[in-house]
Amino acid sequence: EIVLTQSPATLSLSPGERATLSCRASQSVSSYLAWYQQKPGQAPRLLIYDASNRATGIPARFSGSGSGTDFTLTISSLEPEDFAVYYCQQRSNWPGTFGQGTRLEIK
Amino acid sequence: EVQLVESGGGLVQPGGSLRLSCAASGFTFSSYAMSWVRQAPGKGLEWVSAISGSGGSTYYADSVKGRFTISRDNSKNTLYLQMNSLRAEDTAVYYCAKDSPRYCTNGVCYTGGFDYWGQGTLVTVSS
């Protein structure tokens, strides 16, 4: 089983700052990694697929990078609505397991 | 517009059974694999089970294998999850999710993600 480890567990930043979230896989998943955003009381929303492709309707301030075992989700300039929990999901072994999440909170 | 609407959640005693449904609309249901993903209170996401578009292939997390059964009725555009021998640790919000198509073109493969989710249905296992 491929294990995904996200860091940090919690990230405290202010609106306008840049956020960098990490996801590390226990073995290579090539570029087959997705990122989701979840706000309280809501279902998750697909942000990024195949490491670097933005899903439909996702703002350009969200970007993904990485391959193999190390991946990064970057939010270039935080908006108030971006404070949420973010999950990565590996898609190498379909349908894919999730990381434990990173909580992005307002500082 | 794609819509996924779960139903069937509720309170059940340990050892009991429950069947969840997910009514889909706005897309060609039979063309897409579907999954169930759960989230225990205050915890992260856990993939539970998946089924191919035709229903011919099914997959389960080890934590539910032998107790849960996923199925679909493409004539009714509905996904199901039959949950038997329920345990306290199965308490969670259960989401159904539509999978993106996986394909390769020009030597590059794409695996997508879960591009649409339902609003979730709460299952509570307690005496």
Side-chain angles (χ1 to χ4, degrees):
Chain A
E1 178 188 337
I2 300 174
V3 177
L4 298 179
T5 302
Q6 294 186 239
S7 63
T10 302
L11 184 58
S12 300
L13 293 170
S14 300
E17 291 193 292
R18 181 184 187 89
T20 303
L21 288 68
S22 175
C23 177
R24 176 164 289 179
S26 58
Q27 63 189 76
S28 177
V29 297
S30 186
S31 62
Y32 305 140
L33 189 105
W35 290 93
Y36 300 84
Q37 176 194 67
Q38 187 180 33
K39 298 179 181 179
Q42 296 185 16
R45 176 174 71 149
L46 178 66
L47 297 176
I48 301 287
Y49 64 92
D50 294 312
S52 61
N53 298 284
R54 276 190 302 277
T56 302
I58 301 304
R61 64 180 181 273
F62 291 91
S63 63
S65 63
S67 66
T69 61
D70 291 304
F71 300 86
T72 301
L73 174 69
T74 301
I75 310 171
S76 59
S77 179
L78 285 165
E79 297 287 341
E81 62 267 27
D82 298 336
F83 292 91
V85 180
Y86 292 82
Y87 296 93
C88 57
Q89 179 198 28
Q90 64 82 15
R91 300 279 286 168
S92 179
N93 287 358
W94 185 82
T97 47
F98 293 92
Q100 84 281 12
T102 289
R103 179 177 304 277
L104 178 56
E105 64 177 26
I106 299 177
K107 187 174 182 179
Chain B
E1 178 193 6
V2 172
Q3 281 198 313
L4 298 171
V5 180
E6 302 97 335
S7 60
L11 175 64
V12 61
Q13 292 188 339
S17 298
L18 213 54
R19 187 175 87 154
L20 306 183
S21 299
C22 171
S25 61
F27 64 102
T28 305
F29 183 65
S30 60
S31 295
Y32 296 93
M34 299 289 295
S35 278
W36 288 97
V37 177
R38 69 183 179 184
Q39 187 169 36
K43 302 298 184 181
L45 302 174
E46 179 188 14
W47 170 77
V48 172
S49 184
I51 188 168
S52 62
S54 66
S57 299
T58 57
Y59 308 83
Y60 299 94
D62 288 344
S63 57
V64 306
K65 201 172 293 183
R67 300 187 299 122
F68 289 12
T69 302
I70 191 171
S71 62
R72 63 192 298 161
D73 185 336
N74 286 342
S75 69
K76 295 182 178 179
N77 289 350
T78 303
L79 175 72
Y80 302 101
L81 186 67
Q82 177 67 44
M83 304 185 295
N84 298 331
S85 303
L86 282 162
R87 307 166 179 167
E89 54 265 35
D90 295 318
T91 294
V93 174
Y94 284 73
Y95 296 100
C96 66
K98 171 185 169 292
D99 209 328
S100 303
R102 292 172 293 158
Y103 64 97
C104 297
T105 181
N106 296 326
V108 180
C109 293
Y110 298 90
T111 60
F114 294 163
D115 54 4
Y116 290 94
W117 298 64
Q119 84 289 350
T121 187
L122 176 62
V123 172
T124 303
V125 184
S126 175
S127 54

